[in-house]
Amino acid sequence: MTMLSRTADHLFWMARYIERAENTARVLDVATRTSLLPDGEEGADARLWYAPLNICGSAEGYEEKHGLAVQANVTNYMTLDPANPSSIYNSLMEARENARAVRGAITSEMWEIINSMWLDLKRMLPSLNKTNPEGFFDWVKERSHLFRGVTLGTMLKDDALNFIRLGTFLERADNTARILDVKYHILLPSVQDVGGAADYYQWGSLLSSVSAQEAYRKIYRDSIKPLRVAELLILRADMPRSLHACLNEVDATLGLINGPTGTEARRLAGELHASLHYGRIDDIFAHGLHEFLTGFLARTHELSSEIHDAFLSLRDDRQPDGIRPDRFQLQLQ
């Protein structure tokens, strides 16, 4: 089978933007709920609202525009601000634009969901600041779930679906690592507060942000403990949003895209997957959780760049003229 590189690129980024919008809604939803909890520590509120900005990589742009992190400004910047590339508004707009460019490669049901999501968002804009934000975050998550369900229920299991899955799980792995790193490295309470009420609620909020509260109770049947939370979200292959589960999908999907230019991408994915498949949480903590997570983010960025260079870009520095044909071979195994 042959496929246009630009078609694969649109499908890949359509999926990443849908997942990014859902992840942003999850992070903001948990921050909003956490802000309602009593916390007498000085500066706790500002630190809480810097967390979503750090998770989404938007802190620098926010500070240039608004300065100190306060709830109303952070929420607006991360939901509706067109100047923020990672805002929910921009993510849904970009997802729709990518879907519109490849309407022939996706099903009519997929297009109807993503188009209606964008149109509904535009209709809701005038009243969003006056309504309960939790309802809007739930709406974003539900529409993202609906889009994924329609995708899996209506698309052929071919190369187009493979690139959608790649985009979804790379974005999800990146977000899970960022959430865990921000909690442990930025929101970590003072030494005397570790294990206290604030620490407990923060770890509970982290589990809520990745829909893992029920999974944690079912697996560990114990109070929330940092090492077990990290194990659940990093190494458990049966936890849908864990790093291990995401890399299972990425590694398997790249194996189905058997293009001649994808060797290095498959090698990087296999190497990263093996480190999670055979890793131990005690070793990760011994070497430093923050160091492990920043290393993971760097390696997923390298993998994403290699996937882009191998399959999604028309430029190839390895070719004499720097131009790669806009069609590549995809062999489904």
Side-chain angles (χ1 to χ4, degrees):
M1 298 177 63
T2 61
M3 184 178 186
L4 287 171
S5 293
R6 58 177 172 267
T7 299
D9 182 79
H10 286 305
L11 293 169
F12 178 84
W13 283 105
M14 175 191 69
R16 288 202 73 155
Y17 281 119
I18 289 288
E19 185 71 20
R20 186 171 300 176
E22 179 187 343
N23 291 332
T24 302
R26 286 176 176 274
V27 169
L28 287 172
D29 187 30
V30 170
T32 301
R33 296 176 190 276
T34 304
S35 68
L36 301 177
L37 299 172
D39 192 340
E41 183 182 353
E42 185 177 354
D45 191 61
R47 189 168 67 249
L48 168 67
W49 287 104
Y50 267 117
L53 296 169
N54 281 291
I55 289 171
C56 299
S58 304
E60 184 177 349
Y62 173 87
E63 288 177 343
E64 291 178 358
K65 186 170 184 178
H66 296 288
L68 186 66
V70 294
Q71 179 173 354
N73 290 341
V74 171
T75 301
N76 184 74
Y77 185 74
M78 295 187 66
T79 54
L80 306 177
D81 196 334
N84 176 15
S86 297
S87 68
I88 293 175
Y89 177 90
N90 271 335
S91 294
L92 294 182
M93 179 181 69
E94 292 290 347
R96 180 184 180 273
E97 288 303 305
N98 279 283
R100 187 169 62 87
V102 287
R103 286 190 62 177
I106 62 176
T107 64
S108 58
E109 291 88 348
M110 290 171 65
W111 168 250
E112 289 168 6
I113 292 296
I114 201 168
N115 188 49
S116 65
M117 191 189 312
W118 170 246
L119 295 177
D120 289 344
L121 175 64
K122 290 177 68 177
R123 281 194 292 268
M124 289 189 293
L125 284 178
S127 61
L128 277 181
N129 289 328
K130 304 174 184 177
T131 59
N132 185 358
E134 288 91 338
F136 173 67
F137 301 144
D138 288 340
W139 176 82
V140 174
K141 289 185 285 184
E142 289 167 2
R143 301 299 284 185
S144 175
H145 294 163
L146 179 59
F147 178 77
R148 273 198 305 276
V150 167
T151 298
L152 294 176
T154 61
M155 280 201 76
L156 287 172
K157 292 179 171 58
D158 59 4
D159 42 340
L161 181 60
N162 288 334
F163 281 103
I164 291 174
R165 291 174 66 81
L166 274 181
T168 296
F169 288 105
L170 276 174
E171 185 69 27
R172 185 177 297 179
D174 180 271
N175 186 77
T176 298
R178 287 175 182 272
I179 289 175
L180 187 55
D181 189 43
V182 165
K183 165 61 190 93
Y184 194 78
H185 189 64
I186 295 178
L187 288 181
L188 187 68
S190 59
V191 175
Q192 60 268 27
D193 290 333
V194 173
D199 193 35
Y200 176 85
Y201 282 123
Q202 286 178 4
W203 284 108
S205 296
L206 186 151
L207 289 172
S208 297
S209 69
V210 291
S211 299
Q213 285 272 16
E214 291 83 359
Y216 183 93
R217 295 193 189 100
K218 184 176 182 179
I219 294 170
Y220 298 107
R221 301 179 183 275
D222 200 355
S223 60
I224 297 175
K225 298 179 180 179
L227 188 138
R228 289 181 172 177
V229 173
E231 181 181 53
L232 180 70
L233 298 184
I234 294 174
L235 299 180
R236 293 284 306 200
D238 52 355
M239 172 59 207
R241 290 184 172 269
S242 73
L243 306 186
H244 191 178
C246 291
L247 264 295
N248 279 348
E249 299 290 343
V250 171
D251 186 52
T253 303
L254 279 172
L256 297 175
I257 304 174
N258 197 25
T261 60
T263 303
E264 180 62 13
R266 287 191 292 274
R267 186 194 70 79
L268 290 173
E271 187 180 69
L272 187 53
H273 174 254
S275 70
L276 296 167
H277 186 72
Y278 297 105
R280 298 193 312 168
I281 196 62
D282 290 335
D283 294 336
I284 291 174
F285 267 77
H287 289 89
L289 181 60
H290 174 64
E291 288 73 18
F292 173 83
L293 293 170
T294 52
F296 176 86
L297 288 169
R299 293 169 75 183
T300 54
H301 178 74
E302 181 184 6
L303 173 58
S304 182
S305 297
E306 186 60 39
I307 290 172
H308 182 272
D309 292 342
F311 300 116
L312 312 179
S313 174
L314 299 184
R315 293 200 58 80
D316 190 346
D317 295 334
R318 292 165 290 192
Q319 297 295 334
D321 57 1
I323 302 297
R324 184 164 56 81
D326 67 348
R327 291 182 183 270
F328 58 85
Q329 295 295 320
L330 294 172
Q331 300 174 356
L332 302 185
Q333 297 177 339

